[in-house]
Amino acid sequence: FAAKIEGRTEGIMAAQHEIGHGTDNAGAAREAGSGRRRHRTGAALSSVSTGEWSIAVAVIVLLSWAPLPLASHRLLPAAIIVAYVGVVALAWAVLCVLDRAKLHPQNKALWFSWIGIGLVTVWIFLQWATWTPNGWHHPIWIEAANALGQPLPGRISASPDATWIHLTRFLAYLVLGFICFQLARSTRLATMISLAVIWIGTFYAVYGLVTFWLGNQFVFVFPKFAYLDYLTGPFVNRNSFAAYLGIALITCLAYMLE
């Protein structure tokens, strides 16, 4: 009986030793994994090139300036934004070719988004094109042809110039979003852009409040002609300003939760 007790005691002690040894190994493995993760994170943070920093700064400059001249909704500021985004995209492409910026692979789940965006782009272009079926064309082209006494190429769009302008804006926003998505794969740049969105939104919120308290008579340097009793900041429409501040608020909440 004593031998059995001694044997069981030795077995329990051996099992405890094995458990302790396994726990030590698991702890060492966890520590090694954490070290590898810290190393990978540090490498990712330190791998941001000067070119990527420059592109991120250029994006932040655009985000800072865009809301001010009537939310860049007029033709001249919108054209400046399109040209600016084109220059930034060209610089980004050159940096990628020179291997001074990283072109990260896309998640397969995002292909559904790209397909949807592509369909929208094609549909906008079809509205501008003249070779679509006649049954699709706006009736104003027939009336204009009858009034002028000469044939006119028909289109789905009643205002081809406006369609083309909005298509170029849409493509500029798309390219800018793609560049921001690429930059945000870096933790440093993602934090930098997020903080920029928060502080820029805060600035324009304070700017709107000050403008409202001072009489609410101007939108930037232009006399206010709509929503005279509402706070609109640098925007003409109050709902547009609310949506803009909502983006900054959501970004702020996400940053706080993180």
Side-chain angles (χ1 to χ4, degrees):
F1 180 78
K4 290 181 179 180
I5 294 295
E6 184 177 357
R8 290 180 179 178
T9 303
E10 292 176 355
I12 292 172
M13 293 177 64
Q16 290 176 341
H17 175 74
E18 291 296 330
I19 292 173
H21 184 67
T23 303
D24 293 340
N25 289 339
R30 285 194 299 270
E31 182 64 26
S34 299
R36 287 193 296 271
R37 285 193 295 271
R38 287 193 296 268
H39 176 73
R40 288 196 299 268
T41 302
L45 292 179
S46 61
S47 62
V48 178
S49 66
T50 304
E52 290 174 322
W53 277 105
S54 302
I55 297 296
V57 171
V59 169
I60 292 174
V61 170
L62 177 60
L63 296 177
S64 303
W65 173 79
L68 194 57
L70 299 177
S72 297
H73 190 64
R74 298 302 185 267
L75 188 59
L76 179 58
I80 293 175
I81 285 182
V82 171
Y84 187 94
V85 172
V87 172
V88 172
L90 180 61
W92 170 260
V94 171
L95 290 173
C96 289
V97 171
L98 297 178
D99 201 23
R100 295 185 180 180
K102 295 181 180 179
L103 183 62
H104 299 278
Q106 302 296 301
N107 192 310
K108 292 182 178 180
L110 292 177
W111 282 109
F112 293 101
S113 301
W114 288 115
I115 292 173
I117 292 172
L119 292 175
V120 171
T121 305
V122 170
W123 174 240
I124 297 174
F125 178 77
L126 286 177
Q127 294 181 62
W128 176 83
T130 58
W131 40 263
T132 50
N134 292 331
W136 294 11
H137 295 170
H138 196 283
I140 194 173
W141 297 108
I142 298 177
E143 297 178 4
N146 293 333
L148 296 175
Q150 60 182 12
L152 293 176
R155 307 171 194 257
I156 299 174
S157 173
S159 179
D161 291 341
T163 302
W164 184 255
I165 290 172
H166 285 83
L167 176 60
T168 56
R169 288 184 187 178
F170 177 75
L171 293 177
Y173 301 153
L174 177 62
V175 170
L176 181 62
F178 176 78
I179 292 175
C180 289
F181 178 80
Q182 291 291 321
L183 294 175
R185 302 297 289 270
S186 164
T187 306
R188 281 185 178 177
L189 296 182
T191 304
M192 176 180 173
I193 296 174
S194 298
L195 288 175
V197 171
I198 293 170
W199 285 111
I200 294 169
T202 302
F203 169 79
Y204 282 111
V206 174
Y207 167 82
L209 288 172
V210 172
T211 304
F212 185 79
W213 290 333
L214 292 179
N216 203 30
Q217 298 179 356
F218 292 93
V219 179
F220 188 35
V221 295
F222 306 100
K224 193 166 188 176
F225 56 89
Y227 300 104
L228 302 179
D229 297 328
Y230 294 92
L231 190 155
T232 61
F235 292 74
V236 175
N237 297 324
R238 58 179 182 175
N239 55 340
S240 300
F241 189 45
Y244 176 80
L245 294 181
I247 294 173
L249 178 60
I250 291 174
T251 307
C252 184
L253 291 176
Y255 186 78
M256 292 173 61
L257 292 174
E258 182 183 8

